[in-house]
Amino acid sequence: SYTSSVRRNGPKFTQLIVGMISQPPERQIVVGICSMMKKSKSKPMTQILERLCRFEYITVVIFPEDVILNEPVDKWPLCDCLVSFHSKGFPLDKAVSYANLRNPLLINDLNTQYYIQDRREVYRILQQEGIDLPRYAVLNRDPDKPDECNLVEGEDHVEVNGEVFPKPFVEKPVCAEDHNVYIYYPTSAGGGSQRLFRKIGSRSSVYSPESNVRKTGSYIYEEFMPTDGTDVKVYTVGPDYAHAEARKSPALDGKVERDSEGKEIRYPVMLTAMEKLVARKVCLAFKQTVCGFDLLRANGHSYVCDVNGFSFVKNSMKYYDDCAKILGNIVMRELAPQFHIPWSIPTEAEDIPIVPTTSGTMMELRCVIAIIRHGDRTPKQKMKMEVRNPMFFELFDKYGGYKTGKLKLKKPKQLQEVLDIARQLLLELGDGREDCEIEEKKSKLEQLKTVLEMYGHFSGINRKVQITYLPHGQPKTSSEEEDTRKECPSLLLVLKWGGELTPAGRVQAEELGRAFRCMYPGGQGDYAGFPGCGLLRLHSTYRHDLKIYASDEGRVQMTAAAFAKGLLALEGELTPILVQMVKSANMNGLLDNDSDSLSGCQHRVKARLHEIMQKDQEFTEEDYDRLAPTGASSVVNSMRIVENPVMTCDQVYTLIQSLTSQIRKRLEDPKSADLQLYHSESLELMLQRWSKLERDFRMKSGRYDISKIPDIYDCVKYDVQHNATLGLEDTLELFRLSRALADIIIPQEYGINKVEKLDIAYAYCLPLVKKIQLDLQRTHEDESVNKLHPLYSRGVMSPGRHVRTRLYFTSESHVHSLLSTFRYGGLLDEEKDQQWKRAMDYLGAVSELNYMTQIVIMLYEDNNKDPSSEERFHVELHFSPGVKGCEEEEKAPMGFGFRPASAEVNDLSRDEPDRALPLSEPMGIHRRSPLIRNRKTGSMECAGLFSTTVLGGSSSAPNLQDYARTHRKKFSSGSLSYKDELLSMPAVKRFSVSFAKHPTNGWWGCGPGSFPSLTAGFEGCSMVPSIYPLETLHNSLSLKQVDEFITAVCETGGDAHSRTTRGNGLLHTHTQENHMEMS
């Protein structure tokens, strides 16, 4: 029959009738497709027309491109319904006159397609319809409209016709066909701009250091919307149907994600009711039945930022079916009556949601909260000088210093002004004009100039100047200065620099982010060549509600951005990632601390520490009771190493003197004078660092300034790790002694006994504790969050659910305080809870909360338990002391492995012998286990970060060095076989070791267990130490327990601190909470 021959040959579009031939056919409705051939012959169009032809009364005619371009419109084919749309090279004017001539039913209105080509018109229509769009202004460089061309460009903002746009902002050409959209970043994030363009291969944007806006052409300027790194593309077919999918935002790193077939990866998304309404409005306002537009989801709102007109979804069979069905129904509904075709709109059960069942008693991860210290940084440094020159007073006045008596200068422009003054004063000194009133000390001015000139450019991330008004000058220091001092007002200028994230710190953060993926369901499987993509899929589908917060210090922000880069598998520069993914949480002291405003308790504690550490005798029993009342083994061990504090300080002082004289000798040697040290430091600057410590450590009275010990340890730790190639003598001895002193002083500065520890902890981290409580509470009440379309969520446990992740990057003080809160705040009674007792002993043995220390809280839900029961939600607490220090392997305290609840449900029997450790077992014993334990669940050891797999057993996964130690024979022949070994490991195992291939990394080869044969291959490289695995502190807390504990902490903390000055601004965060949109 005719129909079967059609099936054999496939549908022919030109003039094809599909239907029952038995009765004479009624007149067919002809649908004409009038567009450029590239569009009409595209795969989506072909798929949809094929399906449209299945309508009994519809025939499709495609207008040949040659006819469209070269024939007059009266020669064009006839049709009853026209699908016509503009694309590059299409003669829209001809299509309009064809529609006027033949008057067909228009699927997409043609006149509004002129508007769609002009972004100004698009925005005007959106505004007219009351659709949310970013705040914007238009800069028209049109000689006839001079009033629309006012542009004032500042360092960190532009002003367009009176509207101010602080960076980050977006600059879009007014012509919609021009895809060169630029985003400009603030100097605080590193400056520069991201240049977006139409996809070329695997790139959709590129980062550029250019910070100035374009000076030719007309543009729209609009505020930048902080999405979580994904854009939502919406495709309507009529006002009641919208398909939405997410793709990675091109501004993030410009790398287009492609699947195995080379197509851009997109994920179906469920639109909220509000967004469906927006889709309806866009479709009707632009009179485009088939219409694509872009949504930005930011701050809990959805904004339309672009309307593209006619546009189909690619590669979605379901969409092809839906689209053809809706278009066919529109055509039939509009035209069937006049053709006398019997027609009634079919009703169908649309989208039956798939109801998944929960498997077994697997618990479902609902929330991950991590508090993480920043990565490796350069030593923090500061210099104080008293200044009296009028130029400084003018500067102080200019920036409103007299209002509060204090001033902080961080912006490049401001730092430039300070540098100009310093240069000016040094010039006048150099001219030999001795009479001129320059009281500022020459050496200090020179240091000010050197530091401000350090990197050849300013970036507020790594330097700041603080100026304080002193009405009577600086207080007298000693008798001989009395006659020379003046009583008139002066300014105290404090220059702070250093403390920035090093390349090693970046690598640490990125590695940790990558390994962190293993925490999530599906994180163990190997997908498209890399592990942890359970999380990536979760994130792109909006099932992952991720927010990253960082305090406002550059090193903390950059750590957060590098971590996000690893976590979400991004590429390229950190600036775009920082601007889009990292929220500054310096509001209400959440992650910042104003170190100037120490609590009274902290001053008392410091005074007591100084007094005990000034004794020139061996520590007595009484000293042990006074210094280590909590009995923490790390403090006790350090006191044993120190024995006599003053003698140890003498040794440290002598070693520093030896170090500075060695550096001076090097400087005199022409061969090494201009040696480049790590991170572009010079020997000159290194000497300044150490000689300042030498001056400050031993006071005029001959006593030692104990508060300098953390700085000494900081500097020697840095040089031992990064500048070991200098081969300076005795640095390791200095490291050992200063570390022993620091291990007593640093933790004890946060309180010596439990009461003080809690008092100081609450002063620092109460707002953060409240925020954690909110994060945990909101998880089980939030159903308004973006959900995944149920049809696409097979393979993800329950589709309506999502995982909330909150990451807080901060500094040492907050990590110490939060840990003290959990340890001493009364969460559990260690007398009654064996697991907690072991955890407390382990924490007591940890001497240092190093870079990248993590405190991780995980919340699970057991769907089989009654929703109101205490067992429904279950909380776990995990901890890692961060980066491994030098020589640490042998002495490091051992925890009991990473044991999330999900692991224990799986396969308890196999695990029992390992678990039932004799409780008397001393903490320091290393337990080794084979690298891969668990074939049964098909998961691998993520040897990166966790002492075990998440769904596998709870063995402690060894890190690479242990692996190497047990396979020593393979390595002895040299580093080649080691490399082969590396590359032949499965991808997941390569995780922890991938840093060995990084150009800036070598082996962390100080420890006795390191291999000379390997270190040889990496001479002169700085090393990136690996990070301790997470250890489980407790894995069977109920949410109720934790919630009640935090409530109690907030109440006692609140009472204690309403009396101290510190707490005042910090406590009332609850009210501000909502303004921060910190869900």
Side-chain angles (χ1 to χ4, degrees), residues 989-1041:
K989 288 192 306 191
R990 257 205 318 268
F991 243 24
S992 60
V993 300
S994 57
F995 66 74
K997 305 196 294 287
H998 196 281
T1000 62
N1001 315 339
W1003 266 74
W1004 181 229
C1006 311
S1010 58
F1011 301 85
S1013 63
L1014 290 184
T1015 2
F1018 287 112
E1019 264 317 313
C1021 292
S1022 164
M1023 325 239 185
V1024 180
S1026 52
I1027 295 172
Y1028 279 109
L1030 273 179
E1031 299 283 357
T1032 299
L1033 300 181
H1034 209 285
N1035 63 4
S1036 53
L1037 297 159
S1038 74
L1039 179 59
K1040 184 166 175 259
Q1041 254 176 310

Side-chain angles (χ1 to χ4, degrees), residues 547-550 583 585 591 771 806-809 1077-1078:
K547 289 204 170 70
I548 301 176
Y549 294 101
K583 299 182 178 353
L591 297 170
K771 178 71 175 72
R806 293 290 177 269
L807 304 172
Y808 299 98
F809 288 86
E1077 200 279 307
M1078 291 184 45

Side-chain angles (χ1 to χ4, degrees), residues 1 51 55 96 285 351 475 586 600 682 794 865:
S1 77
R51 289 164 171 78
F55 277 82
V96 170
D351 296 351
N586 46 3
S682 62
R794 302 176 179 124
K865 295 280 191 288

Side-chain angles (χ1 to χ4, degrees), residues 33 230 363 437 524 534 567 674 676 730 784 831 860 878 914 962 972 1077:
I33 309 297
T230 34
M363 286 202 189
E437 286 263 316
Q524 298 74 28
L567 183 71
D674 48 0
Q676 268 277 301
D730 300 330
S784 66
E831 301 302 311
Y860 290 88
H878 309 285
D914 190 50
D962 310 328
S972 51
E1077 200 279 307

